Amino acid sequence: MQFSLLDKIRQANPLIHCITNYVVANYTANGLLALGASPLMSANVQEMSDIQHFSKGLLLNIGTLNHSDLDAMICAGRAANALNVPVVLDPVGVGATPYRKQAVASLLQTVKMSIIRGNAGEIATLAEMDWQVKGVDAGQGQADFAAMTQAVAQKYHCIVAMSGEIDRISDGKRVVNIHNGTPLFTRITGAGCLLGAVFAAFLSVADQDQAFQATIEACTSYNIAGELATQGILPQQSGQFAVQLLDCLATLRPTDISTRARVSDE
Amino acid sequence: MQFSLLDKIRQANPLIHCITNYVVANYTANGLLALGASPLMSANVQEMSDIQHFSKGLLLNIGTLNHSDLDAMICAGRAANALNVPVVLDPVGVGATPYRKQAVASLLQTVKMSIIRGNAGEIATLAEMDWQVKGVDAGQGQADFAAMTQAVAQKYHCIVAMSGEIDRISDGKRVVNIHNGTPLFTRITGAGCLLGAVFAAFLSVADQDQAFQATIEACTSYNIAGELATQGILPQQSGQFAVQLLDCLATLRPTDISTRARVSDE
Amino acid sequence: MQFSLLDKIRQANPLIHCITNYVVANYTANGLLALGASPLMSANVQEMSDIQHFSKGLLLNIGTLNHSDLDAMICAGRAANALNVPVVLDPVGVGATPYRKQAVASLLQTVKMSIIRGNAGEIATLAEMDWQVKGVDAGQGQADFAAMTQAVAQKYHCIVAMSGEIDRISDGKRVVNIHNGTPLFTRITGAGCLLGAVFAAFLSVADQDQAFQATIEACTSYNIAGELATQGILPQQSGQFAVQLLDCLATLRPTDISTRARVSDE
């Protein structure tokens, strides 16, 4: 497996438009900058369409969604679709409230997503499986994660990336498992949200028919940056981890990825 | 004095719903995660009631309040009251503008608070005492802090926690002084705001008749995490302190609290 | 050249009202605190006028502007003008969308600015020069930066500070070049946004006829804090740099500034 997209991001410095929640906006922007991309945060419906003309990727994250944000997402998403700008959806806590469920349904009806990224609870909700949801956390349930990921990919004709102890990525046909990562990702806010933005950055420099490969590469790279960010700290040092994750995204080398990658077929 | 609630938080991982200002949302979320709780940030009135059905504690922080946030707080607060979810109010800068004063008055009329947390200026405003307010800072004035804290507790039939060089906590009958802490808390934004969220987390795992005790334990624990976070840094290193406070919330042990606690009756 | 304003800020602890974007609000607040000022973030039109009565400086930053923020900025800006509170405008990404262009035009028509701060692309847009804008980044173009900075200063009768490899500051008559700084400023989000807030803090303690001098001193001090913040880290460690920049703003001494300053006339 080749890992060439990280260098492409650093060369192209793609602008990624993020309509994301205010909790993680700063960390997402710093993460994209560390990776080599260029973040633009705006949820103002009056400029959503204009921004897609120079945006190379669009992230829709519903973490602190309100009515006005939803309008902006639909407007931006439609414009992105028309201009072939890849769109990543992060349906944060979609199972937590009826409002979020309806909002995500309306997004999925109006915008063609390239990737849906979520934790087990969120993907289970989209798969309409039984799941004990707890707020925006993954929650608990018994399920065949790989089958669930694949089912949602088939349902929405896109790539689905399910975060967990093992990350699953499916394009509806295949399912790939990514074994890299660290539990510290779950100890800081926005690690998953940033991954959504990272997906958009990797898609932005990939050929359209290489989107599945780009998603695997993005997730593997990000998880390995997380592994490297745990070096020299205790497993509880979430504050320092958040800082070092940015450092490691910036210093990550393709050889780090190729030598550490643990990717397997389902 | 026993300090058993920290372990309970880490076991129960309670979901704390925060309607808080956008300045500190990220830091508050990371602080709750470090402590062992699970943050959910949302100020969308359309899901405020639903969230209280799985929330274990609610924080209302008016730092960057607008009309829509206020509606959300009233809606969430009422639902929380109906479901016995404890509510913490942080009336940030309440004395600074008529708008904030009216907003807090309307919150206090419609929602039963478990704890009101504020600095001297904010508590003085609620006590309707003369005070030289300066924005969202504590400001300056001459007052018997203990008496002021107790008066507000009696007025609103709740616990009041006044942050300062010495923290005062009163349930209207007793007043307790907490001598732990560090001046670095005042050198970063959101240290007080995070304490409000920490109060909600401690209340969420305490028996209802142990709320006063839980508030003391929360404040003592948080202040000791702050003391530990100053280790190895200069008194001006506010950037590093903010990082280490998260680390120390995550690594804090009950024995750290019991050996370092400096709590006295007024 | 004397550098006396930093000490004045630390003595006066001026309250700086920031109407700024949600991406950088936390970092801006922590940066102002580190410097010795006192941040107040609010964009609620119902308290904009009241706040100017105790605010010592006002920052208007359009990074994530919406209609309601714009109303708040105009209201706050007019009140600030009436009360002689200095106003700093940061027209983030003004060339990126028609919405931003119109919003900035309406701000410049209704509010008298003391300083406009921007990158080359933003200042070029205000100068109505040809420029290849890329989102909120500086973009690329051929221009005489000094002439451009001076032209905008003349057009809007204020000081203009253009950030870049060399920072240019003009009051319309003179142009000064500041050679201090570090490329790491461009690797974190909000370094420029924080500089806007720092400008407001320096203006707040300067005599009105010393505004140009204060702007130069502010920019030089900030850039030197940035230089000091790179000590002991790799050029890619943007996470650690963001932390150390706060530390260095807090520990910066007047002698650091006077010994390191590299300021030249155009």
Side-chain angles (χ1 to χ4, degrees), chain A residues 28-39:
Chain A
T28 303
N30 274 327
L32 284 174
L33 282 167
L35 190 71
S38 174

Side-chain angles (χ1 to χ4, degrees), chain C residues 29-45:
Chain C
N30 274 327
L32 284 175
L33 283 166
L35 190 71
S38 173
L40 189 157
M41 265 62 181
S42 170
N44 183 335
V45 74

Side-chain angles (χ1 to χ4, degrees), chain C residues 104-169:
Chain C
V104 167
S106 109
L107 282 170
L108 286 166
Q109 273 158 26
T110 49
V111 181
K112 171 86 186 75
M113 305 300 170
S114 295
I115 303 178
I116 300 173
R117 189 216 78 81
N119 60 32
E122 288 150 4
I123 302 303
T125 301
L126 296 185
E128 298 180 74
M129 283 181 179
D130 202 33
W131 198 264
Q132 189 63 38
V133 167
K134 182 184 157 202
V136 296
D137 290 346
Q140 289 180 303
Q142 291 298 328
D144 179 336
F145 289 137
M148 199 161 84
T149 304
Q150 190 169 16
V152 176
Q154 288 171 354
K155 189 173 172 189
Y156 293 108
H157 307 288
C158 67
I159 296 164
V160 171
M162 198 197 87
S163 299
E165 210 179 305
I166 298 169
D167 289 350
R168 263 88 182 185
I169 296 176

Side-chain angles (χ1 to χ4, degrees), chain A:
Chain A
M1 188 172 172
Q2 282 202 322
F3 296 98
S4 57
L5 295 179
L6 180 62
D7 278 344
K8 276 200 181 172
I9 291 171
R10 289 173 181 163
Q11 284 153 23
N13 188 230
L15 190 140
I16 305 302
H17 176 207
C18 303
I19 310 182
T20 192
N21 68 78
Y22 55 78
V23 184
V24 307
N26 180 273
Y27 197 68
T28 303
N30 274 327
L32 284 174
L33 282 167
L35 190 71
S38 174
L40 189 156
M41 266 61 181
S42 169
N44 183 335
V45 74
Q46 293 180 267
E47 59 180 12
M48 289 299 95
S49 178
D50 293 322
I51 288 173
Q52 304 325 307
H53 287 271
F54 51 83
S55 165
K56 303 298 180 200
L58 172 64
L59 170 69
L60 308 179
N61 174 307
I62 69 157
T64 54
L65 195 74
N66 61 29
H67 186 67
S68 150
D69 294 334
L70 183 57
D71 285 350
M73 286 185 185
I74 289 172
C75 181
R78 279 180 168 152
N81 281 173
L83 293 158
N84 270 322
V85 174
V87 186
V88 177
L89 173 67
D90 193 332
V92 180
V94 59
T97 64
Y99 172 78
R100 290 181 189 229
K101 227 168 183 169
Q102 286 156 23
V104 167
S106 111
L107 282 170
L108 286 166
Q109 272 158 26
T110 49
V111 181
K112 172 86 187 75
M113 306 299 170
S114 295
I115 303 178
I116 300 174
R117 190 216 78 82
N119 60 32
E122 289 149 3
I123 303 303
T125 301
L126 295 186
E128 299 181 74
M129 283 182 180
D130 203 33
W131 197 266
Q132 190 62 39
V133 167
K134 182 184 157 201
V136 295
D137 290 346
Q140 289 181 304
Q142 292 297 329
D144 179 336
F145 289 138
M148 199 161 83
T149 304
Q150 189 168 18
V152 176
Q154 287 171 354
K155 191 173 171 188
Y156 294 108
H157 307 288
C158 66
I159 296 164
V160 172
M162 198 196 86
S163 298
E165 209 179 307
I166 298 169
D167 289 351
R168 264 88 182 184
I169 296 174
S170 176
D171 60 357
K173 288 175 235 154
R174 294 153 291 175
V175 181
V176 160
N177 304 312
I178 297 172
H179 303 265
N180 296 99
T182 162
L184 269 160
F185 277 134
T186 65
R187 309 307 305 152
I188 63 170
T189 193
C193 298
L194 173 51
L195 175 56
V198 167
F199 280 144
F202 273 79
L203 281 189
S204 77
V205 295
D207 294 334
Q208 222 166 342
D209 61 354
Q210 298 292 312
F212 185 56
Q213 198 53 38
T215 309
I216 296 167
E217 189 170 336
C219 189
T220 307
S221 304
Y222 184 71
N223 287 4
I224 289 170
E227 291 177 0
L228 296 169
T230 64
Q231 291 179 350
I233 62 171
L234 300 173
Q236 295 88 2
Q237 280 188 275
S238 52
Q240 194 57 42
F241 174 72
V243 174
Q244 293 190 182
L245 179 55
L246 296 179
D247 288 353
C248 290
L249 283 169
T251 53
L252 190 68
R253 296 163 307 173
T255 59
D256 295 324
I257 309 171
S258 54
T259 56
R260 297 182 73 108
R262 292 187 291 136
V263 180
S264 70
D265 289 319
E266 181 65 30

Side-chain angles (χ1 to χ4, degrees), chain B residues 71-255:
Chain B
D71 285 350
M73 286 185 186
I74 289 172
C75 180
R78 279 180 168 153
N81 282 173
L83 293 158
N84 269 323
V85 175
V87 186
V88 176
L89 173 66
D90 193 333
V92 181
V94 59
T97 65
Y99 172 77
R100 291 183 188 229
K101 226 168 183 168
Q102 287 157 23
V104 167
S106 111
L107 282 170
L108 285 166
Q109 272 159 26
T110 49
V111 181
K112 171 86 187 75
M113 305 300 170
S114 295
I115 303 178
I116 300 173
R117 190 216 78 81
N119 60 32
E122 288 149 5
I123 302 303
T125 301
L126 295 185
E128 298 180 75
M129 283 182 178
D130 202 33
W131 198 265
Q132 189 62 39
V133 167
K134 183 184 158 202
V136 296
D137 290 346
Q140 288 181 303
Q142 291 298 328
D144 180 336
F145 289 136
M148 199 161 83
T149 305
Q150 190 168 16
V152 176
Q154 287 171 354
K155 189 173 173 189
Y156 294 108
H157 307 287
C158 67
I159 296 164
V160 171
M162 199 197 87
S163 298
E165 210 178 305
I166 298 169
D167 289 351
R168 264 88 183 184
I169 296 174
S170 176
D171 61 357
K173 288 175 234 152
R174 294 152 291 175
V175 181
V176 160
N177 304 313
I178 298 171
H179 302 266
N180 296 99
T182 162
L184 269 161
F185 277 135
T186 65
R187 310 306 305 152
I188 63 170
T189 194
C193 298
L194 173 52
L195 175 56
V198 167
F199 280 143
F202 273 79
L203 282 188
S204 78
V205 295
D207 294 334
Q208 222 166 343
D209 62 354
Q210 298 292 312
F212 185 56
Q213 199 54 36
T215 310
I216 296 166
E217 189 170 336
C219 189
T220 308
S221 304
Y222 184 71
N223 286 3
I224 289 170
E227 291 176 1
L228 296 169
T230 64
Q231 291 178 350
I233 62 170
L234 300 172
Q236 295 88 3
Q237 279 187 275
S238 51
Q240 194 57 42
F241 173 72
V243 173
Q244 292 190 185
L245 179 55
L246 297 178
D247 287 352
C248 290
L249 284 169
T251 54
L252 190 68
R253 296 163 305 173
T255 58

